[in-house]
Amino acid sequence: MRTQVGIIGAGPAGLLLSHLLHLQGIESVVLECRSREEIEATIRAGVLEQGSRDLLIETGVGERMQREGFVHHGIELSFGGRRHRIDLTELTGRSITVYAQHEVIKDLVAARLAAQGQLLFEVSDVNIADIDSERPTVSFAHKGEAARLECDYVIGCDGFHGVSRGTIPHHVRKDYSRVYPFGWFGILVEAPPSSHELIYAQHERGFALVSTRSATVQRMYFQCDPHDKVEHWSDDRIWAELHSRLENDDGWRLTEGRIFQKNIVAMRSFVATPMRHGRLFLAGDAAHIVPPTGAKGMNLAIADVRLLALALVEAIRNGKQEGLERYSDTALRRVWRAEHFSWFMTSLLHSFADASDFQRQLQRSELEYVVSSRAAMTSLAENYVGLPF
Ligand code: RFL
Ligand code: PHB
């Protein structure tokens, strides 16, 4: 098999890249190790920056998001028994959209299949070779048969646990990483929304987050031990924990409902540099991870492939390599900004078991500053809604 661009991974990065290239007349093949059913059912992110939303609409895959997603103009920070609103739109002129990542995936898969895009599910044994040559190749197995894909470029969009990053030789790579001493316990609940906007709560028992999915399904998270087990958490224990972390002095109360999904995710910050070697380019979680507190992961994946699609079109159509040569440096500027913001939000809102009294006072001081200074609020808001591309 031959194609112009071989893409490993059908997450938001791989699918959107394939879609953007198709709109410019460039063909690609996407290789995904899981089934279509599985990728369309995996519960992950929920918040789209204004720029991500605009891109999906401009490229014809935003129709359902416009109908079913929720535009939010603010978020709430809760601490010390009070809630404080950050008016994103008043401070930045921009907003966010709450629309689940697996819905974005469904929309992109449908668009690629409707355009007869080559999307191979349940491939295995993916191996990338010859990235230093003009003709990199990807070998893999599909439906029990060995196959080989010859490409002009290979793009690793295979997430943090994929194989692409490891193809870049160790001596040219530098990785940066930080693992946090806590995880997030996530639940999906059948209930009406408890709040019009997302609530990020700092509490001495730990962080909690109230988000939403629809008029009847709500998404909530709370800080937990990353090694804890879902089985240790009965529904009653979960509700008691959420109530105590979210309680405040204005009488507001979280609405309970039937919990129908529970999971625990670990939290880390990670950046692999450079994001390119020879004809292999990395995008999204394959190159970088942020803790979810800033709601940045999917948005960074979208920003990477937007940039990469422009550069690939220039290279393939017009023979101009500058965009591809600048890709890693340009993408990493946005990545590091998001890394800092995600680390900042995580540090601001979580309980660190080893924090001294001094550090706890600093955290409270920072929270009070963020909700009282217009300059500090604007800084948080412009990072949260996403900096312009
Ligand atoms: P993905 O989504 O991990 O997709 C990678 C795909 O590659 C496949 N794959 C392979 N395929 C072939 N061969 C191999 N060897 C392969 N290895 C892997 C995988 O099966 C998969 O389908 O990466 P991508 O496209 O870079 O997208 C990144 C986002 O998924 C991620 O950053 C976000 O989910 C992070 N995130 C959030 N991001 C936001 O922008 N806003 C949010 O509100 C937000 N909330 C979150 C989040 C992530 C969370 N978890 C689960 C860590 C909330 C949570 C709880
Ligand atoms: C979500 O709705 O899943 C969500 C919202 C905000 C975050 C992370 C996840 O910061």
Side-chain angles (χ1 to χ4, degrees):
M1 283 168 82
R2 236 211 82 62
T3 190
Q4 290 174 300
V5 182
I7 299 174
I8 323 294
L15 289 168
L16 181 61
L17 178 62
S18 174
H19 174 65
L20 296 176
L21 292 174
H22 163 73
L23 295 180
Q24 299 297 323
I26 292 173
E27 61 164 51
S28 62
V29 175
V30 180
L31 304 176
E32 166 59 50
C33 62
R34 294 185 298 156
S35 68
R36 177 178 179 181
E37 294 69 33
E38 223 179 310
I39 65 165
E40 291 188 345
T42 305
I43 308 296
R44 292 187 81 177
V47 173
L48 288 166
E49 294 175 357
Q50 173 98 46
S52 304
R53 171 192 174 89
D54 294 347
L55 182 66
L56 297 178
I57 296 171
E58 278 160 26
T59 59
V61 285
E63 200 209 314
R64 204 162 62 89
M65 171 194 67
Q66 282 176 285
R67 242 185 307 124
E68 297 176 17
F70 296 99
V71 176
H72 285 198
H73 298 289
I75 56 171
E76 306 232 17
L77 297 187
S78 163
F79 62 92
R82 289 191 51 207
R83 286 203 277 155
H84 308 261
R85 180 163 192 264
I86 305 223
D87 192 327
L88 301 173
T89 305
E90 200 246 325
L91 292 163
T92 67
R94 293 155 82 84
S95 55
I96 54 153
T97 300
V98 184
Y99 187 62
Q101 176 168 328
H102 67 279
E103 304 295 349
V104 175
I105 297 281
K106 283 186 207 164
D107 298 341
L108 287 168
V109 168
R112 290 310 298 124
L113 294 179
Q116 265 94 51
Q118 290 231 63
L119 194 45
L120 306 187
F121 293 104
E122 296 177 74
V123 305
S124 57
D125 306 324
V126 170
N127 185 50
I128 306 167
D130 305 323
I131 54 174
D132 287 314
S133 78
E134 298 267 294
R135 285 271 175 280
T137 57
V138 185
S139 57
F140 60 98
H142 188 231
K143 297 188 172 156
E145 286 191 22
R148 191 162 169 277
L149 183 62
E150 274 190 18
C151 318
D152 293 335
Y153 299 97
V154 176
I155 318 297
C157 298
D158 47 352
F160 185 66
H161 301 287
V163 294
S164 304
R165 190 173 62 251
T167 312
I168 300 183
H170 275 292
H171 67 275
V172 296
R173 233 176 79 196
K174 177 158 173 62
D175 294 353
Y176 302 82
S177 132
R178 181 190 180 104
V179 176
Y180 297 85
F182 40 73
W184 275 16
F185 197 110
I187 57 169
L188 280 169
V189 183
E190 218 175 73
S194 288
S195 161
H196 295 303
E197 295 176 333
L198 269 58
I199 304 173
Y200 288 83
Q202 184 272 342
H203 191 273
E204 61 191 18
R205 297 186 63 86
F207 169 76
L209 170 61
V210 178
S211 181
T212 184
R213 285 292 178 267
S214 71
T216 53
V217 174
Q218 310 312 316
R219 179 72 164 149
M220 294 166 208
Y221 300 97
F222 58 93
Q223 175 182 350
C224 66
D225 177 342
H227 308 294
D228 209 340
K229 296 266 180 295
V230 162
E231 308 77 75
H232 296 162
W233 287 84
S234 68
D235 294 5
D236 287 346
R237 184 173 173 216
I238 290 172
W239 289 120
E241 200 58 48
L242 282 168
H243 284 304
S244 61
R245 295 186 191 190
L246 288 157
E247 74 187 6
N248 58 64
D249 302 338
D250 63 9
W252 173 87
R253 239 181 115 72
L254 184 68
T255 311
E256 293 187 14
R258 185 178 71 85
I259 299 174
F260 63 93
Q261 211 245 6
K262 302 179 186 178
N263 69 330
I264 293 178
V265 292
M267 308 257 289
R268 71 168 76 231
S269 300
F270 175 83
V271 183
T273 64
M275 288 169 64
R276 174 228 182 135
H277 186 72
R279 285 181 173 248
L280 171 70
F281 294 78
L282 302 178
D285 279 14
H288 41 74
I289 294 286
V290 285
T293 330
K296 287 281 158 265
M298 172 168 53
N299 294 295
L300 274 184
I302 290 174
D304 283 354
V305 298
R306 177 190 161 276
L307 193 62
L308 194 49
L310 292 171
L312 284 167
V313 170
E314 274 292 284
I316 292 170
R317 271 221 211 122
N318 307 325
K320 290 198 180 145
Q321 299 296 317
E322 292 85 353
L324 287 181
E325 266 146 32
R326 277 198 312 266
Y327 167 71
S328 178
D329 287 345
T330 310
L332 282 168
R333 275 204 294 278
R334 188 183 192 85
V335 167
W336 278 114
R337 178 88 297 281
E339 289 287 343
H340 181 275
F341 178 66
S342 305
W343 164 84
F344 163 77
M345 288 288 278
T346 303
S347 311
L348 184 70
L349 293 163
H350 289 73
S351 293
F352 289 76
D354 61 354
S356 62
D357 288 345
F358 178 75
Q359 285 166 315
R360 284 182 230 276
Q361 293 299 331
L362 291 184
Q363 186 188 43
R364 174 52 68 88
S365 165
E366 183 73 15
L367 277 164
E368 281 167 1
Y369 179 56
V370 150
V371 299
S372 57
S373 151
R374 189 173 171 92
M377 244 188 283
T378 307
S379 169
L380 190 152
E382 74 175 1
N383 279 282
Y384 192 79
V385 298
L387 294 162
F389 288 131

